[in-house]
Structures are given as structure tokens and as C-alpha cells.
Amino acid sequence: MTTGNGQSQLPISNLEYDFITVLHNKAEAVQAYERYIQDAQEANSQPCVELFQKLRQSEIEEAQEIRHHLQQVMAHGKM
């Protein structure tokens, strides 16, 4: 919703919401990979542990990039 001057009346922009949602999903993925790593360790499967660790690290790096974009959008309204 916008006012007559084009300003949004929403508490956050759609773009901010999108980045927050994606960041939340990445955080959940990181937690899930921690469980998967434990499962692989319990199964004594080092190749699976290493794969899950690699995938977890990718999620962390992506989350950091998303966080940076979110900060920029929150500060400037866009990238």
C-alpha cells in the first residue's frame, strides 16, 4: 500500500521481506545440516559427513551474502 506521495505504509518493503524469508530458510538449512552431519557420524560414514559439511558451509556463505544484501536494502531501499 502506498500513500499519495508514493511512500509505502508497510513496515518493511517486499524486497526486505523476501531477503528476510530467504535468510530464515538458509538458517534452517544450516541447522538441518548439523543434524545430518550427526547422523552421518553415527553411521560412521566419513564421506557423507564431509559432503554435509561442504553443503552446510555453502549455506553459511550464501546466508552471509544474503545478509549483506539485506543490510544494503534496509539502508538504501535497494541495491
Coordinates of all heavy atoms in Angstrom, one line a residue:
M1 N 0.8 -1.2 0.0 CA 0.0 0.0 0.0 C 0.9 1.2 0.0 O 1.9 1.3 0.7 CB -0.9 0.0 1.2 CG -1.7 1.3 1.4 SD -2.7 1.3 2.9 CE -4.0 0.2 2.4
T2 N 0.5 2.2 -0.8 CA 1.3 3.5 -0.8 C 0.4 4.6 -0.5 O -0.8 4.6 -0.7 CB 2.0 3.7 -2.2 OG1 0.9 3.7 -3.2 CG2 2.9 2.6 -2.5
T3 N 1.0 5.7 -0.1 CA 0.3 6.9 0.2 C 0.3 7.8 -1.1 O 0.9 7.4 -2.1 CB 0.9 7.7 1.3 OG1 2.3 8.1 0.9 CG2 1.0 7.0 2.6
G4 N -0.4 8.9 -1.1 CA -0.4 9.7 -2.3 C 0.9 10.2 -2.8 O 1.1 10.5 -3.9
N5 N 1.9 10.2 -1.9 CA 3.3 10.7 -2.3 C 4.2 9.5 -2.7 O 5.4 9.7 -2.9 CB 3.9 11.5 -1.1 CG 4.2 10.7 0.1 OD1 4.0 9.5 0.1 ND2 4.6 11.3 1.2
G6 N 3.6 8.3 -2.8 CA 4.3 7.2 -3.3 C 5.1 6.4 -2.2 O 5.8 5.5 -2.4
Q7 N 5.0 6.9 -0.9 CA 5.6 6.2 0.2 C 4.9 5.0 0.6 O 3.6 5.0 0.7 CB 5.8 7.2 1.4 CG 6.7 8.3 1.1 CD 8.1 7.9 0.9 OE1 8.6 7.1 1.6 NE2 8.7 8.6 -0.1
S8 N 5.5 3.9 1.0 CA 4.9 2.7 1.4 C 4.5 2.8 2.8 O 5.1 3.4 3.7 CB 5.9 1.5 1.3 OG 5.4 0.3 1.8
Q9 N 3.3 2.3 3.2 CA 2.8 2.2 4.5 C 3.1 0.9 5.2 O 2.7 0.7 6.3 CB 1.3 2.5 4.6 CG 1.0 3.9 4.2 CD -0.5 4.2 4.3 OE1 -1.3 3.3 4.4 NE2 -0.9 5.4 4.3
L10 N 3.8 0.0 4.5 CA 4.1 -1.3 5.0 C 5.3 -1.1 6.0 O 6.2 -0.3 5.8 CB 4.5 -2.3 3.9 CG 3.4 -2.6 2.9 CD1 4.0 -3.4 1.8 CD2 2.3 -3.3 3.5
P11 N 5.4 -2.0 7.0 CA 6.5 -1.9 8.0 C 7.9 -2.2 7.3 O 8.9 -1.7 7.8 CB 6.2 -2.8 9.1 CG 5.1 -3.7 8.5 CD 4.4 -3.0 7.4
I12 N 7.9 -3.1 6.4 CA 9.1 -3.4 5.6 C 8.7 -3.5 4.1 O 7.5 -3.9 3.8 CB 9.8 -4.7 6.1 CG1 8.9 -5.9 6.0 CG2 10.3 -4.5 7.5 CD1 9.6 -7.2 6.3
S13 N 9.6 -3.3 3.3 CA 9.3 -3.4 1.8 C 9.2 -4.9 1.4 O 9.7 -5.8 2.2 CB 10.4 -2.8 1.0 OG 11.6 -3.5 1.1
N14 N 8.7 -5.2 0.3 CA 8.6 -6.5 -0.2 C 10.0 -7.1 -0.4 O 10.2 -8.3 -0.1 CB 7.9 -6.6 -1.6 CG 6.4 -6.4 -1.4 OD1 5.8 -6.6 -0.4 ND2 5.7 -5.9 -2.5
L15 N 10.9 -6.3 -0.8 CA 12.3 -6.8 -1.0 C 12.9 -7.1 0.3 O 13.6 -8.2 0.4 CB 13.1 -5.7 -1.8 CG 14.5 -6.1 -2.3 CD1 14.3 -7.3 -3.3 CD2 15.1 -4.9 -3.1
E16 N 12.7 -6.3 1.3 CA 13.3 -6.7 2.6 C 12.6 -8.0 3.1 O 13.3 -8.8 3.6 CB 12.9 -5.5 3.6 CG 13.8 -4.3 3.4 CD 13.3 -3.1 4.3 OE1 12.0 -3.0 4.5 OE2 14.1 -2.4 4.7
Y17 N 11.3 -8.1 3.0 CA 10.6 -9.3 3.4 C 11.2 -10.5 2.6 O 11.5 -11.6 3.3 CB 9.1 -9.2 3.1 CG 8.4 -10.5 3.5 CD1 7.9 -10.7 4.8 CD2 8.1 -11.4 2.5 CE1 7.3 -11.8 5.1 CE2 7.5 -12.6 2.8 CZ 7.0 -12.8 4.1 OH 6.4 -14.0 4.4
D18 N 11.5 -10.4 1.4 CA 12.0 -11.5 0.6 C 13.4 -11.9 1.1 O 13.6 -13.1 1.3 CB 12.1 -11.1 -0.9 CG 10.8 -10.9 -1.6 OD1 9.7 -11.3 -1.0 OD2 10.8 -10.3 -2.7
F19 N 14.2 -11.0 1.4 CA 15.6 -11.3 1.9 C 15.5 -11.9 3.3 O 16.2 -12.8 3.6 CB 16.5 -10.1 1.9 CG 17.1 -9.8 0.5 CD1 16.9 -8.6 -0.1 CD2 17.9 -10.7 -0.1 CE1 17.5 -8.4 -1.4 CE2 18.5 -10.5 -1.3 CZ 18.3 -9.3 -1.9
I20 N 14.6 -11.4 4.1 CA 14.4 -12.0 5.5 C 14.0 -13.4 5.4 O 14.5 -14.3 6.1 CB 13.5 -11.1 6.3 CG1 14.1 -9.8 6.6 CG2 13.0 -11.8 7.6 CD1 13.2 -8.7 7.2
T21 N 13.0 -13.7 4.5 CA 12.5 -15.0 4.3 C 13.6 -16.0 3.8 O 13.7 -17.1 4.3 CB 11.3 -15.0 3.3 OG1 10.3 -14.1 3.8 CG2 10.8 -16.4 3.1
V22 N 14.4 -15.5 2.8 CA 15.4 -16.4 2.3 C 16.5 -16.6 3.4 O 17.0 -17.7 3.5 CB 16.1 -15.7 1.0 CG1 17.3 -16.5 0.6 CG2 15.0 -15.7 -0.1
L23 N 16.8 -15.6 4.1 CA 17.8 -15.7 5.2 C 17.3 -16.7 6.3 O 18.1 -17.5 6.7 CB 18.1 -14.3 5.8 CG 19.2 -14.3 6.8 CD1 20.5 -14.8 6.2 CD2 19.4 -12.8 7.3
H24 N 16.0 -16.6 6.6 CA 15.4 -17.6 7.5 C 15.6 -19.0 7.0 O 15.9 -19.9 7.7 CB 14.0 -17.2 7.8 CG 13.3 -18.1 8.7 ND1 12.5 -19.2 8.3 CD2 13.3 -18.2 10.1 CE1 12.0 -19.8 9.3 NE2 12.5 -19.3 10.4
N25 N 15.3 -19.2 5.7 CA 15.3 -20.5 5.1 C 16.8 -21.0 5.2 O 17.0 -22.2 5.4 CB 14.8 -20.5 3.7 CG 13.3 -20.3 3.7 OD1 12.6 -20.6 4.7 ND2 12.8 -19.8 2.6
K26 N 17.7 -20.2 4.9 CA 19.1 -20.6 5.0 C 19.5 -21.0 6.4 O 20.3 -22.0 6.6 CB 20.1 -19.5 4.5 CG 19.9 -19.2 3.0 CD 20.4 -20.3 2.2 CE 20.3 -20.0 0.7 NZ 20.7 -21.2 -0.1
A27 N 19.1 -20.2 7.4 CA 19.4 -20.6 8.8 C 18.8 -21.9 9.1 O 19.5 -22.7 9.8 CB 18.8 -19.5 9.7
E28 N 17.6 -22.2 8.7 CA 17.0 -23.5 8.9 C 17.8 -24.6 8.2 O 18.0 -25.7 8.8 CB 15.5 -23.6 8.5 CG 14.6 -22.8 9.4 CD 13.2 -22.9 9.0 OE1 12.9 -23.1 7.8 OE2 12.3 -22.7 9.9
A29 N 18.3 -24.3 7.0 CA 19.1 -25.3 6.3 C 20.4 -25.6 7.1 O 20.8 -26.8 7.1 CB 19.4 -24.9 4.9
V30 N 21.0 -24.6 7.6 CA 22.2 -24.8 8.3 C 22.0 -25.7 9.5 O 22.7 -26.7 9.8 CB 22.9 -23.5 8.8 CG1 24.0 -23.7 9.8 CG2 23.4 -22.7 7.6
Q31 N 20.9 -25.5 10.2 CA 20.5 -26.3 11.4 C 20.2 -27.8 10.9 O 20.6 -28.7 11.6 CB 19.3 -25.8 12.1 CG 19.6 -24.5 12.9 CD 18.4 -23.9 13.6 OE1 17.3 -24.2 13.2 NE2 18.6 -23.2 14.6
A32 N 19.6 -27.9 9.8 CA 19.3 -29.3 9.3 C 20.6 -30.0 9.0 O 20.7 -31.2 9.3 CB 18.4 -29.2 8.1
Y33 N 21.5 -29.3 8.3 CA 22.8 -30.0 8.0 C 23.5 -30.4 9.2 O 24.2 -31.4 9.2 CB 23.6 -29.1 7.1 CG 23.2 -29.1 5.7 CD1 22.8 -28.0 5.0 CD2 23.2 -30.3 5.0 CE1 22.4 -28.0 3.7 CE2 22.8 -30.4 3.6 CZ 22.4 -29.2 3.0 OH 22.0 -29.3 1.7
E34 N 23.4 -29.6 10.3 CA 24.0 -30.1 11.6 C 23.5 -31.4 12.0 O 24.3 -32.3 12.5 CB 23.9 -29.0 12.6 CG 24.7 -27.7 12.4 CD 24.4 -26.6 13.3 OE1 23.6 -26.8 14.3 OE2 24.9 -25.5 13.1
R35 N 22.2 -31.6 11.9 CA 21.6 -32.9 12.2 C 22.1 -34.0 11.3 O 22.3 -35.1 11.7 CB 20.0 -32.8 12.2 CG 19.5 -32.0 13.4 CD 18.0 -32.1 13.4 NE 17.3 -31.7 12.2 CZ 16.9 -30.4 12.0 NH1 17.1 -29.5 12.8 NH2 16.3 -30.1 10.8
Y36 N 22.1 -33.6 10.0 CA 22.6 -34.6 9.0 C 24.0 -35.0 9.3 O 24.4 -36.2 9.1 CB 22.4 -34.1 7.6 CG 21.0 -33.6 7.2 CD1 20.8 -32.7 6.2 CD2 19.9 -34.1 7.9 CE1 19.6 -32.3 5.9 CE2 18.6 -33.6 7.6 CZ 18.5 -32.7 6.5 OH 17.2 -32.3 6.2
I37 N 24.8 -34.1 9.6 CA 26.2 -34.4 10.0 C 26.3 -35.4 11.1 O 27.1 -36.4 11.1 CB 27.0 -33.1 10.2 CG1 27.2 -32.3 8.9 CG2 28.4 -33.4 10.9 CD1 27.7 -30.9 9.1
Q38 N 25.5 -35.1 12.2 CA 25.5 -36.0 13.3 C 25.0 -37.4 12.9 O 25.6 -38.4 13.3 CB 24.5 -35.5 14.4 CG 25.1 -34.3 15.1 CD 24.1 -33.7 16.1 OE1 22.9 -34.1 16.1 NE2 24.6 -32.7 16.9
D39 N 24.0 -37.5 12.1 CA 23.5 -38.8 11.6 C 24.6 -39.5 10.8 O 24.8 -40.7 11.0 CB 22.3 -38.6 10.7 CG 21.0 -38.1 11.4 OD1 21.0 -38.2 12.7 OD2 20.1 -37.7 10.7
A40 N 25.3 -38.8 10.0 CA 26.4 -39.4 9.2 C 27.5 -39.9 10.1 O 28.1 -41.0 9.9 CB 26.9 -38.5 8.1
Q41 N 27.8 -39.1 11.2 CA 28.8 -39.5 12.1 C 28.4 -40.8 12.9 O 29.2 -41.7 13.1 CB 29.1 -38.4 13.1 CG 29.9 -37.2 12.5 CD 30.0 -36.0 13.4 OE1 29.1 -35.8 14.2 NE2 30.9 -35.2 13.1
E42 N 27.1 -40.8 13.2 CA 26.6 -42.0 13.9 C 26.7 -43.2 13.0 O 26.8 -44.4 13.5 CB 25.2 -41.7 14.4 CG 25.2 -40.8 15.6 CD 23.8 -40.4 16.0 OE1 22.8 -41.0 15.5 OE2 23.6 -39.5 16.8
A43 N 26.5 -43.0 11.7 CA 26.5 -44.1 10.8 C 28.0 -44.4 10.4 O 28.2 -45.4 9.6 CB 25.7 -43.8 9.5
N44 N 28.9 -43.7 11.0 CA 30.3 -43.9 10.7 C 30.6 -43.8 9.2 O 31.3 -44.6 8.6 CB 30.8 -45.2 11.2 CG 32.3 -45.3 11.4 OD1 32.9 -44.2 11.6 ND2 32.9 -46.5 11.4
S45 N 30.0 -42.8 8.5 CA 30.2 -42.5 7.1 C 30.9 -41.2 6.9 O 30.3 -40.2 6.7 CB 28.8 -42.6 6.4 OG 29.0 -42.3 5.0
Q46 N 32.2 -41.3 6.9 CA 33.0 -40.0 6.7 C 32.7 -39.3 5.4 O 32.7 -38.1 5.4 CB 34.5 -40.3 6.9 CG 35.4 -39.1 6.9 CD 35.0 -38.2 8.1 OE1 34.5 -38.6 9.1 NE2 35.2 -36.9 7.9
P47 N 32.6 -40.0 4.2 CA 32.2 -39.3 3.0 C 30.9 -38.5 3.1 O 30.9 -37.4 2.6 CB 32.1 -40.4 2.0 CG 32.9 -41.5 2.5 CD 32.8 -41.5 4.0
C48 N 30.0 -39.1 3.8 CA 28.7 -38.3 4.0 C 28.9 -37.1 4.9 O 28.3 -36.1 4.7 CB 27.6 -39.3 4.5 SG 27.1 -40.5 3.3
V49 N 29.7 -37.3 6.0 CA 30.0 -36.2 6.9 C 30.6 -35.1 6.1 O 30.2 -33.9 6.2 CB 30.9 -36.7 8.0 CG1 31.5 -35.5 8.8 CG2 30.3 -37.6 9.0
E50 N 31.6 -35.4 5.3 CA 32.3 -34.4 4.5 C 31.4 -33.7 3.5 O 31.4 -32.4 3.4 CB 33.5 -35.0 3.8 CG 34.6 -35.4 4.8 CD 35.7 -36.2 4.1 OE1 35.7 -36.3 2.9 OE2 36.5 -36.7 4.9
L51 N 30.5 -34.4 2.9 CA 29.5 -33.8 1.9 C 28.6 -32.9 2.7 O 28.4 -31.7 2.3 CB 28.7 -34.9 1.2 CG 27.7 -34.3 0.2 CD1 28.3 -33.4 -0.8 CD2 26.9 -35.4 -0.4
F52 N 28.0 -33.3 3.8 CA 27.1 -32.5 4.5 C 27.8 -31.2 5.1 O 27.2 -30.1 5.1 CB 26.4 -33.3 5.7 CG 25.4 -34.3 5.2 CD1 25.3 -35.5 5.8 CD2 24.5 -33.9 4.2 CE1 24.4 -36.4 5.4 CE2 23.6 -34.9 3.8 CZ 23.5 -36.1 4.4
Q53 N 29.1 -31.4 5.5 CA 29.8 -30.2 6.0 C 30.0 -29.2 4.8 O 29.9 -28.0 5.0 CB 31.2 -30.7 6.6 CG 31.0 -31.3 7.9 CD 32.3 -31.9 8.4 OE1 33.2 -32.3 7.6 NE2 32.4 -32.1 9.7
K54 N 30.3 -29.7 3.7 CA 30.5 -28.9 2.5 C 29.2 -28.1 2.1 O 29.2 -26.9 1.9 CB 31.0 -29.7 1.3 CG 31.2 -29.0 0.0 CD 31.6 -29.9 -1.1 CE 31.7 -29.1 -2.4 NZ 32.0 -30.0 -3.5
L55 N 28.1 -28.9 2.1 CA 26.8 -28.2 1.8 C 26.5 -27.2 2.9 O 25.9 -26.1 2.6 CB 25.8 -29.3 1.7 CG 25.9 -30.3 0.5 CD1 24.9 -31.4 0.6 CD2 25.8 -29.5 -0.8
R56 N 26.7 -27.5 4.2 CA 26.5 -26.6 5.3 C 27.3 -25.3 5.1 O 26.7 -24.2 5.3 CB 26.8 -27.3 6.6 CG 26.5 -26.4 7.8 CD 26.9 -27.1 9.1 NE 26.7 -26.2 10.2 CZ 27.7 -25.4 10.7 NH1 28.9 -25.4 10.1 NH2 27.5 -24.6 11.7
Q57 N 28.5 -25.5 4.7 CA 29.4 -24.3 4.5 C 28.9 -23.4 3.4 O 28.9 -22.2 3.5 CB 30.8 -24.7 4.3 CG 31.8 -23.5 4.2 CD 31.8 -22.7 5.4 OE1 31.8 -23.2 6.6 NE2 31.9 -21.4 5.3
S58 N 28.4 -24.0 2.3 CA 27.8 -23.3 1.2 C 26.6 -22.5 1.7 O 26.4 -21.3 1.3 CB 27.4 -24.2 0.1 OG 28.5 -24.8 -0.5
E59 N 25.7 -23.1 2.5 CA 24.6 -22.4 3.0 C 25.0 -21.2 3.9 O 24.4 -20.1 3.8 CB 23.7 -23.4 3.9 CG 23.0 -24.5 3.1 CD 21.9 -24.0 2.2 OE1 21.4 -22.9 2.3 OE2 21.5 -24.8 1.4
I60 N 26.0 -21.4 4.7 CA 26.5 -20.3 5.5 C 27.0 -19.1 4.7 O 26.7 -18.0 4.9 CB 27.6 -20.8 6.5 CG1 27.0 -21.7 7.6 CG2 28.4 -19.6 7.1 CD1 28.0 -22.5 8.4
E61 N 27.8 -19.5 3.7 CA 28.3 -18.4 2.8 C 27.2 -17.7 2.0 O 27.2 -16.5 1.9 CB 29.3 -19.0 1.8 CG 30.6 -19.5 2.5 CD 31.5 -20.3 1.6 OE1 31.2 -20.4 0.4 OE2 32.5 -20.8 2.1
E62 N 26.2 -18.4 1.6 CA 25.0 -17.8 0.9 C 24.3 -16.9 1.9 O 23.8 -15.8 1.6 CB 24.1 -18.9 0.3 CG 24.8 -19.6 -0.9 CD 24.0 -20.8 -1.3 OE1 22.9 -21.0 -0.8 OE2 24.4 -21.5 -2.2
A63 N 24.1 -17.4 3.1 CA 23.4 -16.6 4.1 C 24.2 -15.3 4.4 O 23.5 -14.2 4.6 CB 23.3 -17.4 5.4
Q64 N 25.5 -15.3 4.4 CA 26.3 -14.1 4.6 C 26.1 -13.1 3.5 O 25.9 -11.9 3.7 CB 27.7 -14.5 4.8 CG 28.0 -15.2 6.1 CD 29.4 -15.8 6.2 OE1 30.1 -16.0 5.2 NE2 29.9 -16.0 7.4
E65 N 26.0 -13.6 2.3 CA 25.8 -12.8 1.1 C 24.4 -12.2 1.2 O 24.2 -11.0 0.9 CB 26.0 -13.6 -0.2 CG 25.8 -12.7 -1.4 CD 26.1 -13.5 -2.7 OE1 26.4 -14.7 -2.7 OE2 26.0 -12.8 -3.8
I66 N 23.4 -13.0 1.5 CA 22.0 -12.5 1.6 C 21.9 -11.4 2.7 O 21.3 -10.4 2.5 CB 21.1 -13.7 1.9 CG1 21.0 -14.6 0.7 CG2 19.7 -13.2 2.3 CD1 20.5 -16.0 0.9
R67 N 22.6 -11.7 3.8 CA 22.6 -10.7 4.9 C 23.2 -9.4 4.5 O 22.6 -8.3 4.8 CB 23.4 -11.3 6.1 CG 23.3 -10.4 7.3 CD 23.9 -11.2 8.5 NE 23.9 -10.3 9.7 CZ 24.9 -9.8 10.3 NH1 26.1 -10.0 9.8 NH2 24.8 -9.1 11.3
H68 N 24.2 -9.4 3.7 CA 24.8 -8.2 3.2 C 23.8 -7.4 2.3 O 23.7 -6.2 2.4 CB 26.1 -8.5 2.4 CG 26.6 -7.4 1.6 ND1 27.3 -6.3 2.2 CD2 26.6 -7.1 0.3 CE1 27.6 -5.4 1.3 NE2 27.2 -5.9 0.1
H69 N 23.2 -8.2 1.4 CA 22.2 -7.6 0.5 C 21.0 -7.0 1.3 O 20.6 -5.8 1.1 CB 21.6 -8.6 -0.5 CG 22.6 -8.8 -1.6 ND1 22.5 -8.2 -2.8 CD2 23.6 -9.7 -1.8 CE1 23.4 -8.6 -3.6 NE2 24.1 -9.5 -3.0
L70 N 20.6 -7.7 2.3 CA 19.5 -7.2 3.2 C 19.9 -5.9 3.9 O 19.1 -4.9 3.9 CB 19.1 -8.3 4.2 CG 18.1 -7.8 5.3 CD1 16.8 -7.4 4.6 CD2 17.9 -9.0 6.3
Q71 N 21.1 -5.9 4.4 CA 21.6 -4.6 5.0 C 21.6 -3.5 4.1 O 21.2 -2.3 4.4 CB 23.0 -4.8 5.6 CG 23.0 -5.8 6.8 CD 24.4 -6.2 7.2 OE1 25.4 -6.2 6.4 NE2 24.6 -6.4 8.5
Q72 N 22.0 -3.7 2.9 CA 22.0 -2.6 1.8 C 20.6 -2.2 1.5 O 20.4 -1.0 1.4 CB 22.7 -3.1 0.6 CG 24.2 -3.4 0.7 CD 25.0 -2.1 1.1 OE1 24.8 -1.1 0.5 NE2 25.8 -2.2 2.2
V73 N 19.7 -3.1 1.4 CA 18.3 -2.8 1.0 C 17.7 -2.0 2.2 O 17.0 -1.0 2.0 CB 17.5 -4.1 0.7 CG1 16.0 -3.8 0.6 CG2 18.0 -4.6 -0.6
M74 N 18.0 -2.4 3.4 CA 17.4 -1.8 4.6 C 18.0 -0.3 4.7 O 17.3 0.6 5.1 CB 17.6 -2.6 5.8 CG 16.8 -3.8 5.9 SD 17.1 -4.8 7.3 CE 16.2 -3.9 8.5
A75 N 19.2 -0.1 4.4 CA 19.8 1.2 4.5 C 19.5 2.1 3.3 O 19.3 3.3 3.5 CB 21.4 1.0 4.6
H76 N 19.3 1.5 2.1 CA 19.1 2.4 1.0 C 17.8 2.1 0.2 O 17.6 2.8 -0.8 CB 20.3 2.2 0.0 CG 21.6 2.4 0.7 ND1 22.1 3.6 1.1 CD2 22.6 1.5 1.0 CE1 23.3 3.5 1.6 NE2 23.6 2.2 1.6
G77 N 17.1 1.1 0.6 CA 15.8 0.8 -0.1 C 16.0 0.0 -1.3 O 15.0 -0.5 -1.9
K78 N 17.3 -0.3 -1.7 CA 17.6 -1.1 -2.9 C 19.1 -1.4 -2.9 O 19.8 -0.9 -2.1 CB 17.2 -0.4 -4.2 CG 17.9 0.9 -4.4 CD 17.4 1.6 -5.7 CE 18.2 2.9 -5.9 NZ 17.8 3.5 -7.1
M79 N 19.5 -2.2 -3.9 CA 20.9 -2.5 -4.0 C 21.5 -1.5 -5.0 O 20.9 -1.0 -5.9 CB 21.1 -3.9 -4.6 CG 21.0 -4.9 -3.5 SD 22.1 -4.9 -2.2 CE 23.7 -5.2 -2.9

